[in-house]
Amino acid sequence: DQQVKQNSPSLSVQEGRISILNCDYTNSMFDYFLWYKKYPAEGPTFLISISSIKDKNEDGRFTVFLNKSAKHLSLHIVPSQPGDSAVYFCAAYKGGSEKLVFGKGTKLTVNP
Amino acid sequence: EAGVAQSPRYKIIEKRQSVAFWCNPISGHATLYWYQQILGQGPKLLIQFQNNGVVDDSQLPKDRFSAERLKGVDSTLKIQPAKLEDSAVYLCASSLGHRETQYFGPGTRLLVL
């Protein structure tokens, strides 16, 4: 039962363009959302988060948008750089739970 | 600041053998997590400790997996006996507390033959 879904296994964009990574969730009880980035042979690293009381959070080149009615969030990277090439995981906490639930990840490739 | 340390980095065993993984969290982090990441999947929480007490182990296959957190610092995860489907990367993470940013170690890649 995949409660956090990343339906695109991979995404390829040109350097300098926008990367948009999508994530859907099935349970309206999720109240805090995070994006992690993972390079090969390394552990995931935290990128950006958003609470369910907000609809946007921005940190430099990274912006996360949350659409609660659609149970959808997206990560925008502008401009994309080759060093952004990695696997991006969407993750979420349910209200009242301390367990972080991860999606399957999307592999982003930024071509020079 | 030193990150989360894990050892070994790689392990190959045969099914029905036992294996243990070790994790040293970031100093001062009260919460420690063990995740299993199967190829093509996201990390799945196996067990979460707050200091040396278990907060959540609902997804830990307790018939074969065990974990402990010694004195609220280091932790070990053991599998006995291993099955083919246990082949995965085992990630350890730590955080200052609940819902604080989790910092992950590099993981231990286990292959069960």
Side-chain angles (χ1 to χ4, degrees):
Chain A
D1 177 26
Q2 195 72 20
Q3 300 184 65
V4 177
K5 301 179 182 181
Q6 294 178 258
N7 293 318
S8 298
S10 63
L11 174 68
S12 182
V13 300
Q14 286 299 120
E15 181 178 5
R17 305 293 292 269
I18 185 172
S19 295
I20 300 177
L21 296 102
N22 294 303
C23 177
D24 297 293
Y25 58 97
T26 59
N27 194 322
S28 57
M29 293 293 291
F30 284 120
D31 66 354
Y32 195 71
F33 304 88
L34 305 91
W35 285 93
Y36 277 81
K37 176 167 118 173
K38 185 182 183 304
Y39 292 118
E42 295 184 12
T45 55
F46 169 74
L47 193 55
I48 193 169
S49 63
I50 188 167
S51 165
S52 61
I53 62 173
K54 295 186 175 181
D55 54 19
K56 177 182 174 181
N57 189 25
E58 194 171 351
D59 183 3
R61 296 185 298 114
F62 303 91
T63 303
V64 56
F65 295 92
L66 176 63
N67 182 334
K68 288 187 290 294
S69 61
K71 295 192 183 68
H72 177 84
L73 64 155
S74 60
L75 174 68
H76 293 211
I77 306 174
V78 183
S80 301
Q81 299 173 354
D84 297 328
S85 296
V87 177
Y88 289 78
F89 291 100
C90 174
Y93 285 106
K94 275 185 204 173
S97 170
E98 306 305 328
K99 183 163 65 183
L100 191 55
V101 179
F102 283 83
K104 290 186 177 183
T106 297
K107 183 177 181 179
L108 173 66
T109 303
V110 180
N111 301 301
Chain B
E1 178 183 83
V4 176
Q6 289 188 248
S7 67
R9 292 296 308 274
Y10 304 93
K11 190 76 177 178
I12 301 174
I13 62 172
E14 297 197 346
K15 60 183 179 184
R16 292 187 288 273
Q17 286 187 324
S18 62
V19 64
F21 312 126
W22 173 82
C23 173
N24 183 245
I26 293 172
S27 177
H29 280 195
T31 312
L32 184 146
Y33 315 79
W34 282 102
Y35 288 87
Q36 179 192 58
Q37 186 180 10
I38 291 172
L39 188 64
Q41 304 288 320
K44 182 181 85 170
L45 181 69
L46 292 176
I47 188 166
Q48 178 178 340
F49 292 95
Q50 177 72 13
N51 295 310
N52 58 356
V54 175
V55 173
D56 187 320
D57 64 356
S58 58
Q59 298 188 111
L60 186 74
K62 297 180 186 66
D63 57 334
R64 297 185 301 106
F65 286 64
S66 64
E68 61 179 1
R69 189 173 184 196
L70 308 172
K71 299 179 182 178
V73 182
D74 291 8
S75 179
T76 55
L77 176 70
K78 297 180 182 177
I79 308 174
Q80 182 179 15
K83 292 186 175 181
L84 298 177
E85 59 260 36
D86 298 331
S87 295
V89 175
Y90 291 84
L91 294 161
C92 179
S94 70
S95 67
L96 284 169
H98 295 311
R99 294 205 173 195
E100 297 285 342
T101 299
Q102 294 186 28
Y103 295 86
F104 284 80
T108 296
R109 186 175 297 274
L110 174 68
L111 179 60
V112 182
L113 301 175

